[in-house]
Amino acid sequence: MACDDRPLLSARGLTRYYGRILGCRDVNFDIWPGEVLGIVGESGSGKTTVLKCISARLEPSAGTVTYDTRTEGPVDIHRISEPARRLLMRTDWGFVHQDPRDGLRMAVSAGANIGERLMAVGARHYGQIRETATNWLGKVEMDTGRMDDLPCTFSGGMQQRLQIARNLVTAPRIVFMDEPTGGLDVSVQARLLDLLRGLVSDLGLAAVVVTHDLAVTRLLSHRLLVMRHGTVVETGLTDQVLDDPQHPYTQLLVSSVLHP
Amino acid sequence: MTGALRIEGLEKSFVLHTQGGVRLPVLAGLDLEVEPGECVALHGPSGVGKSTVLRCVHGNYRADAGRILVRHREGVMNMVTAHPREVLAVRRETIGHVSQFLRVIPRVSAADVVAETLRDRGTDRESADDAARSILHRLNIPPELQQLAPATFSGGEQQRVNLARVLVAHYPVLLLDEPTASLDRENREVVIDLIREAAGRGAAILGIFHDAAVRDAVATRVVAMDTGREAA
Amino acid sequence: MTRVSTAARDGGYTFAYLDEQTKRMVRRAILKAVAIPGYQVPFASREMPLPFGWGTGGIQVTASIIGRDDTLKVIDQGADDTVNAVSIRAFFARTAGVPTTTRTQDATIIQTRHRIPETPLRAGQILVYQVPIPEPLRWLEPREAETRRMHALQEYGVMHVRLYEDIARYGHIATSYDYPVRVNGRYLMRPSPIPKFDNPKMDRSPALQLFGAGREKRIYAVPPHTGVRSLDFDDHPFEVQKWDQACALCGSTASFLDEIVTDNQGGRMFVCSDTDHCETRVRAGHVESAAGGRDPGGP
Ligand SMILES: Nc1ncnc2c1ncn2[C@@H]1O[C@H](COP(=O)(O)OP(=O)(O)OP(=O)(O)O)[C@@H](O)[C@H]1O
Ligand SMILES: Nc1ncnc2c1ncn2[C@@H]1O[C@H](COP(=O)(O)OP(=O)(O)O)[C@@H](O)[C@H]1O
Ligand SMILES: [Mg+2]
Ligand SMILES: [Mg+2]
Ligand SMILES: [Zn+2]
């Protein structure tokens, strides 16, 4: 785990403007294989902007995002060819959206949702695709009998599980999550967190988790970035940032929740 | 450095920005070395900074100045400047910290909390589970309780789970923050035995023991701390 | 039925209705389509004196390629005598004055809706398909810019998602019309709503196949002798429709059959959907003894 001496993903001087509005400015960090990085901050602080820039969903106005590919080593993900980038997006990376409707195909069954990425990389054996999809449904603790049901018949928590399975089926090395437990009830949220925690550590996944919930980040992430007004104001080991916050804004953030 | 842990000129203060920027000086140049097999007790009035020392060593608090050197793998790691990943590696392999309060993951059973320590260090699931069961048993946590999440446990039970999750692995450096504070007599004896066994294995132990009997039973040296400045 | 009938051109129209400039524009689109098999070429679709859905895309293609020496056949669901087929044939007879025919082997241009003739096509013939929806990826991706990018990057895996759904739901690939194909190992293509029974006829056909979508303003093509492969799974290979019975009229066991109701008592029978093929066989002496008569008007 920590013995890999090269980061999996590095952001340098990452800046994004939306016209004249600042999304994020001069954001720098590294993520190593197997590491979970949390990004916290108030609404509008630029968390989603950073997440989209490092997952190639949004082009930065300035700065670079370097990803250590399996075959060619480190590449600037915004400079490589579009086919190469899109291939990374559907094999090496996963993206879990806050709203499952953004991350699922609502018109096809759960099994097809999971199988899609396999078929996208060339799987052409129906039986094997189905078996893998069934396994994944089990791994995200869903009733495999719901395999052929449409996602719209699932609860919010189940839809998030499906989204996770759909992403993990190609064994990505890094998963980007934007408020993965966002719209869920507290108890559903808790079970989803347990699941994520288990999967991330069992699979040795690297992950970037955007959340405004400090309890979520305490449970999931090894390291933390605290953002405010588009910039990173503090970074460090999760428990260190939460227990001994240095920046006035982090202190405010921590002191305003009951059990960070 | 001959010891397993060496603290040099450790300074730490807290600036409370949300309360008008008040500055609380806590540590102003602490020096301390702990040899393998030693159990050093920090002693002093409440609020003097004993837990702060342990937390700085563990990388949970950020030191303002000084060095905290820990013998880790083949070398020496300065916890004050170490990268978070290195701190995590030290925590996984070298330093075990029994904090004053158990902070557990909701819905994870006591047995799993304890076994996870070993699994993170590469032990297979079965051996980790066996070791967890056996140390919890030794700390008088009955099997029924082991399968429950510790969130609803009594203070003393939580403390024993907290001890078990650290002592189940044989860390070369142990930080113990009032490990017997809420324990009854019988369990206190078990913990004393466990601490002595650890020291016997060569662990360097830095601890805070309010109970004089416990301190006398385990400490090989006592370091007194005064408000604002500390004496070695 | 007429083999080849010739009509006098109505001089009130330009040849084949479209003005020369429009024809040149359509021909350019066709040339590009032939150069990039399966690729959908946009073209400026014109108003035609027929409503969309009546094959205005196919008609514009036909109008742009037809010459005075051509002989035209028009089929709709296999038959030459539906209102649609008759109107289009009449349209070209009147505006181009070209001979028309119902016989596959006599035609140089065959405009079709929903079928490929059973009689194998030969080199020099051109099959013009009327296409309602040209984009195979439309069902899952409504954004045109995105489907174009998916074609450019050959991101076609999602197409199998649809076949997957079929198998999950019905136990087999139930899609039986407009069955997706890969052309020349490159572009994913919708063959228009022909039965998948006809898909194998597209593969390496010696005839030129042109596809026109009027409403969606797209033209695409499969040049002669080009590979056309139907998508499938290793464990659910592509299969065409099969029937237990033979054609009640000509006894054919190798053609696409339509089920027709013969009387008010619910009597049914199966007959070739390709009326020309059936009649040719009947004329050649293949008569099914048990079969009842068939109204020459057909289904
Ligand atoms: N995270 C923190 N933020 C602000 N102040 C803190 C923090 N942690 C400790 N302090 C302050 O630092 C001082 C030392 O605290 P510490 O917990 O180290 O004391 P202690 O010696 O362990 O006391 P006790 O014997 O009561 O446990 C106290 O004034 C405490 O309020
Ligand atoms: N597509 C966009 N167009 C214009 N402004 C945007 C857009 N997306 C985000 N912003 C602005 O950028 C800033 C950061 O937004 P975002 O990254 O979504 O924050 P967060 O995820 O932390 O809530 C905000 O001021 C937001 O209004
Ligand atoms: Mg956001
Ligand atoms: Mg204390
Ligand atoms: Zn017949």
Side-chain angles (χ1 to χ4, degrees):
Chain A
M1 196 184 143
C3 49
D4 307 79
D5 48 4
R6 207 158 66 186
L8 186 60
L9 186 143
S10 305
R12 289 291 175 273
L14 203 60
T15 300
R16 166 75 200 203
Y17 281 91
Y18 299 98
R20 284 169 50 222
I21 300 172
L22 175 67
C24 65
R25 188 175 60 219
D26 197 23
V27 173
N28 300 284
F29 59 86
D30 297 309
I31 300 160
W32 275 266
E35 191 181 37
V36 181
L37 180 77
I39 305 182
V40 298
E42 65 198 354
S43 168
S45 56
K47 307 181 293 293
T48 300
T49 301
V50 169
L51 197 71
K52 284 187 176 165
C53 286
I54 61 173
S55 59
R57 285 168 182 265
L58 192 63
E59 202 167 338
S61 314
T64 58
V65 178
T66 309
Y67 176 75
D68 190 5
T69 59
R70 294 183 216 235
T71 48
E72 274 142 64
V75 299
D76 180 340
I77 63 164
H78 293 287
R79 293 273 158 74
I80 54 176
S81 71
E82 193 181 13
R85 182 162 51 239
R86 286 171 69 116
L87 185 66
L88 281 178
M89 290 172 93
R90 52 172 204 262
T91 54
D92 258 28
W93 303 347
F95 200 103
V96 176
H97 297 259
Q98 173 170 2
D99 187 342
R101 278 169 301 189
D102 294 333
L104 292 175
R105 288 200 192 281
M106 300 305 277
V108 303
S109 68
N113 263 283
I114 301 177
E116 178 177 334
R117 274 169 69 122
L118 294 173
M119 293 181 247
V121 294
R124 291 291 179 265
H125 191 283
Y126 173 82
Q128 281 161 13
I129 293 166
R130 197 167 168 81
E131 193 183 318
T132 310
T134 310
N135 279 339
W136 269 102
L137 217 51
K139 281 193 206 167
V140 296
E141 294 159 18
M142 281 178 66
D143 177 3
T144 52
R146 304 294 302 268
M147 184 76 173
D148 297 325
D149 294 350
L150 294 180
C152 58
T153 67
F154 293 169
S155 70
M158 288 161 74
Q159 289 180 357
Q160 281 308 54
R161 279 161 198 277
L162 184 59
Q163 216 192 146
I164 291 163
R166 167 181 163 85
N167 274 285
L168 297 189
V169 69
T170 49
R173 294 198 293 161
I174 185 163
V175 179
F176 305 98
M177 301 188 233
D178 196 354
E179 310 270 8
T181 60
L184 304 174
D185 293 347
V186 180
S187 66
V188 178
Q189 209 173 9
R191 284 192 52 207
L192 190 68
L193 273 179
D194 285 350
L195 175 76
L196 278 175
R197 226 183 124 258
L199 288 173
V200 162
S201 78
D202 290 352
L203 304 171
L205 272 178
V208 183
V209 184
V210 161
T211 175
H212 58 258
D213 188 335
L214 298 186
V216 167
T217 205
R218 161 107 52 195
L219 276 182
L220 278 183
S221 61
H222 300 116
R223 268 190 317 125
L224 207 52
L225 295 185
V226 183
M227 292 196 65
R228 188 182 194 212
H229 298 333
T231 60
V232 175
V233 296
E234 184 161 357
T235 148
L237 217 49
T238 300
D239 62 76
Q240 186 261 302
V241 172
L242 296 180
D243 293 342
D244 186 16
Q246 309 288 307
H247 192 276
Y249 174 68
T250 317
Q251 291 192 357
L252 184 70
L253 203 65
V254 170
S255 67
S256 51
V257 289
L258 222 45
H259 260 296
Chain B
M1 168 175 174
T2 58
L5 167 68
R6 182 184 168 94
I7 300 172
E8 296 172 354
L10 179 61
E11 291 179 26
K12 173 68 184 168
S13 57
F14 294 97
V15 181
L16 306 182
H17 294 285
T18 52
Q19 293 170 55
V22 180
R23 188 185 165 85
L24 288 179
V26 180
L27 305 173
L30 176 80
D31 297 303
L32 186 69
E33 180 145 5
V34 186
E35 304 283 337
E38 241 195 325
C39 177
V40 175
L42 293 176
H43 190 52
S46 177
V48 77
K50 305 180 294 295
S51 299
T52 300
V53 173
L54 300 196
R55 283 164 171 262
C56 285
V57 173
H58 197 238
N60 178 229
Y61 283 1
R62 191 179 283 201
D64 299 336
R67 301 205 295 171
I68 299 170
L69 305 177
V70 177
R71 206 165 275 294
H72 171 65
R73 293 187 187 160
E74 256 70 73
V76 173
M77 183 74 76
N78 179 358
M79 298 298 280
V80 176
T81 54
H83 185 276
R85 289 170 61 234
E86 297 171 321
V87 173
L88 288 177
V90 170
R91 287 182 182 181
R92 197 169 46 244
E93 297 165 33
T94 306
I95 302 182
H97 180 212
V98 180
S99 55
Q100 240 166 323
F101 305 99
L102 175 69
R103 201 193 276 274
V104 289
I105 301 111
R107 298 165 311 277
V108 176
S109 75
D112 280 341
V113 166
V114 175
E116 193 167 286
T117 304
L118 289 179
R119 286 208 303 270
D120 282 351
R121 305 173 111 227
T123 309
D124 66 272
R125 180 171 285 269
E126 204 177 328
S127 324
D129 287 349
D130 285 349
R133 260 196 300 277
S134 111
I135 191 155
L136 283 167
H137 173 75
R138 211 169 149 198
L139 283 158
N140 298 308
I141 303 288
E144 316 84 80
L145 226 47
Q146 292 184 17
Q147 295 317 312
L148 300 179
T152 57
F153 287 13
S154 76
E157 286 164 347
Q158 291 198 4
Q159 186 155 41
R160 280 177 277 148
V161 172
N162 208 9
L163 277 156
R165 79 190 290 203
V166 173
L167 296 176
V168 70
H170 296 167
Y171 289 104
V173 176
L174 281 175
L175 308 171
L176 308 176
D177 197 339
E178 303 187 32
T180 58
S182 20
L183 300 188
D184 57 24
R185 193 186 166 73
E186 186 195 343
N187 282 307
R188 213 155 47 220
E189 293 305 321
V190 176
V191 174
I192 289 172
D193 286 347
L194 285 168
I195 294 171
R196 282 179 169 157
E197 284 169 26
R201 276 197 306 268
I205 303 168
L206 182 59
I208 303 164
F209 311 97
H210 272 193
D211 185 329
V214 175
R215 191 165 57 241
D216 291 346
V218 298
T220 52
R221 185 153 56 99
V222 175
V223 171
M225 289 176 69
D226 284 332
T227 320
R229 93 192 55 109
E230 35 307 298
Chain C
M1 273 203 132
T2 44
R3 292 205 171 179
V4 174
S5 66
T6 321
R9 190 168 93 80
D10 182 338
Y13 296 98
T14 43
F15 181 77
Y17 186 77
L18 290 179
D19 61 85
E20 287 308 312
Q21 207 176 338
T22 300
K23 282 188 216 160
R24 269 199 298 277
M25 177 271 294
V26 174
R27 284 179 204 135
R28 268 197 299 273
I30 292 171
L31 284 174
K32 182 166 177 187
V34 169
I36 316 170
Y39 175 78
Q40 298 168 47
V41 182
F43 79 108
S45 183
R46 288 297 142 92
E47 288 288 321
M48 295 302 284
L50 289 164
F52 286 126
W54 274 63
T56 54
I59 292 169
Q60 289 177 79
V61 170
T62 301
S64 304
I65 58 170
I66 202 163
R68 295 182 201 281
D69 302 337
D70 277 311
T71 302
L72 179 69
K73 169 180 164 80
V74 182
I75 47 171
D76 177 13
Q77 316 251 21
D80 297 81
D81 46 14
T82 66
V83 181
N84 190 307
V86 170
S87 316
I88 294 172
R89 206 161 48 226
F91 173 79
F92 281 110
R94 184 162 170 209
T95 61
V98 293
T100 58
T101 182
T102 59
R103 300 208 33 190
T104 299
Q105 67 261 44
D106 293 342
T108 54
I109 299 174
I110 303 166
Q111 180 168 331
T112 178
R113 174 171 172 267
H114 295 191
R115 276 310 311 275
I116 297 176
E118 305 290 5
T119 310
L121 300 180
R122 54 179 157 73
Q125 288 182 309
I126 302 177
L127 188 58
V128 179
Y129 297 76
Q130 300 171 199
V131 179
I133 304 166
E135 179 50 68
L137 299 166
R138 185 64 69 231
W139 72 279
L140 73 108
E141 182 49 71
R143 291 167 301 177
E144 174 70 20
E146 185 62 16
T147 52
R148 221 175 291 166
R149 185 170 302 131
M150 291 165 85
H151 280 292
L153 302 178
Q154 304 188 51
E155 285 181 8
Y156 293 146
V158 285
M159 206 60 213
H160 275 84
V161 170
R162 216 178 97 182
L163 304 183
Y164 171 99
E165 284 291 82
D166 262 11
I167 304 173
R169 207 167 298 164
Y170 308 106
H172 62 275
I173 299 177
T175 300
S176 52
Y177 288 87
D178 214 348
Y179 191 106
V181 295
R182 194 85 184 261
V183 179
N184 203 23
R186 177 59 182 85
Y187 284 96
L188 188 67
M189 188 185 90
R190 268 180 104 129
S192 85
I194 57 170
K196 63 178 171 183
F197 179 88
D198 288 342
N199 275 21
K201 297 177 192 159
M202 289 188 286
D203 186 33
R204 315 216 163 269
S205 168
L208 168 64
Q209 303 173 72
L210 301 176
F211 300 76
R215 193 177 36 216
E216 306 244 351
K217 306 181 172 58
R218 291 286 185 279
I219 287 172
Y220 49 100
V222 176
H225 307 290
T226 303
V228 175
R229 201 179 129 67
S230 303
L231 303 191
D232 62 1
F233 285 102
D234 298 346
D235 49 343
H236 286 267
F238 174 77
E239 273 173 4
V240 300
Q241 292 98 326
K242 286 192 194 80
W243 289 264
D244 296 334
Q245 50 270 84
C247 171
L249 300 178
C250 75
S252 167
T253 53
S255 58
F256 187 86
L257 301 183
D258 280 336
E259 186 180 15
I260 56 169
V261 178
T262 51
D263 54 39
N264 292 337
Q265 279 70 53
R268 283 155 200 285
M269 65 179 189
F270 286 86
V271 296
C272 293
S273 114
D274 183 338
T275 47
D276 167 63
H277 176 71
C278 200
E279 282 158 13
T280 306
R281 281 176 56 86
V282 170
R283 268 195 303 275
H286 300 276
V287 182
E288 186 68 354
S289 52
R294 188 182 183 196
D295 175 0

